[in-house]
């Protein structure tokens, strides 16, 4: 008969109270890739299962970023620019497969940098060729989206907004002067 540990059932003997954090006692240089100032790029051109795998590697400190481009398994060119990918973006899009596991996928996660740049360029061209009224409407909508995103990320209100209700110091002075519309004679009447 085998040892009893292979037949063990039930919960683990010792349950972790806190989640394990990789690099807990090590300080990482913020200017290096993977630091706060230069985070890893989001994986693109992969299926949901592969994205979960790469996210797990990042969460638990197992992710190794790519240092030089890898060789594509379809076209044999050195075009693979992301870690853990086997196909270049061109071959993956052409074949409509995941760039990591090479399986056929209906929905590919992430957008390529070239797609984002092309979309941005098309939007700028549309703004440039639009009427003045439409252009201002588009710019207003874009600024509103940016402000909404900034408000969501910035939960703490600014100190200046708490102290002054006005946008600038000059507006605050103007508001306070309007409140104090009484003259020196009114002050003397109240005192005297």
């Amino acid at each position: 008969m085998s040892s009893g540990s292979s037949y063990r059932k039930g919960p683990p003997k010792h349950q972790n109270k806190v989640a394990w954090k990789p690099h807990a006692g090590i300080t990482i240089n913020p200017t290096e890739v993977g630091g706060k100032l230069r985070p890893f790029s989001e994986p693109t051109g992969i299926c949901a299962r592969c994205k979960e795998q790469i996210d797990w590697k990042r969460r638990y400190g197992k992710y190794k970023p790519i240092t030089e481009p890898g060789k594509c398994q379809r076209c044999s060119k050195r075009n693979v620019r992301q870690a853990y990918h086997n196909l270049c973006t061109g071959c993956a899009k052409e074949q409509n497969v995941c760039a990591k596991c090479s399986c056929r996928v209906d929905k590919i996660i992430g957008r390529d940098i070239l797609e984002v740049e092309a979309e941005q360029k098309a939007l700028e061209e549309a703004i440039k060729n639009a009427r003045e009224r439409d252009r201002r409407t588009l710019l207003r909508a874009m600024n509103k989206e940016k402000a909404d995103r900034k408000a969501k990320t910035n939960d703490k209100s600014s100190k200046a907004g708490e102290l002054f209700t006005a946008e600038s110091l000059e507006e605050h002075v103007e508001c306070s002067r309007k409140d104090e519309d009484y003259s020196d004679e009114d002050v003397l009447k109240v005192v005297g």
Side-chain angles (χ1 to χ4, degrees), residues 105-118:
V105 187
D106 295 332
K107 185 179 178 186
I108 290 179
I109 294 177
R111 295 170 53 195
D112 193 18
I113 296 170
L114 299 173
E115 288 178 16
V116 173
E117 288 177 356

Side-chain angles (χ1 to χ4, degrees), residues 99-169:
K100 183 176 181 285
C101 65
S102 300
C103 63
R104 289 213 175 272
V105 187
D106 295 332
K107 185 179 178 186
I108 290 179
I109 294 177
R111 295 170 53 195
D112 193 18
I113 296 170
L114 299 173
E115 288 178 16
V116 173
E117 288 177 356
E119 183 180 304
Q120 188 71 21
K121 196 175 282 186
L123 183 64
E124 288 174 3
E125 189 69 27
I127 289 174
K128 190 165 60 171
N129 293 335
R131 297 185 311 174
E132 180 70 19
R133 182 177 182 177
D134 295 335
R135 185 170 60 84
R136 288 185 183 220
T137 304
L138 281 171
L139 291 173
R140 219 177 303 118
M142 288 169 46
N143 289 338
K144 185 178 179 186
E145 288 176 11
K146 285 181 184 177
D148 289 345
R149 267 189 258 127
K150 188 177 180 182
K152 286 180 183 177
T153 58
N154 211 2
D155 292 339
K156 298 177 183 176
S157 61
S158 66
K159 297 279 185 188
E162 292 174 7
L163 294 175
F164 303 113
T165 55
E167 291 289 324
S168 67
L169 191 58

Side-chain angles (χ1 to χ4, degrees), residues 23-38:
H23 314 299
I26 303 169
T27 56
I28 298 173
N29 186 355
T31 58
E32 287 181 3
V33 177
K36 287 186 178 180
L37 299 178
R38 290 179 59 195

Side-chain angles (χ1 to χ4, degrees), residues 43 45-59 84-86 97-110:
I46 54 176
C47 61
R49 182 172 178 262
C50 293
K51 181 167 178 15
E52 288 175 9
Q53 290 173 356
I54 292 175
D55 286 342
W56 183 92
K57 287 180 187 249
R58 287 182 176 181
R59 235 187 348 263
Y84 304 104
H85 284 50
N86 296 323
V97 294
C98 172
K100 183 176 181 285
C101 65
S102 300
C103 63
R104 289 213 175 272
V105 187
D106 295 332
K107 185 179 178 186
I108 290 179
I109 294 177

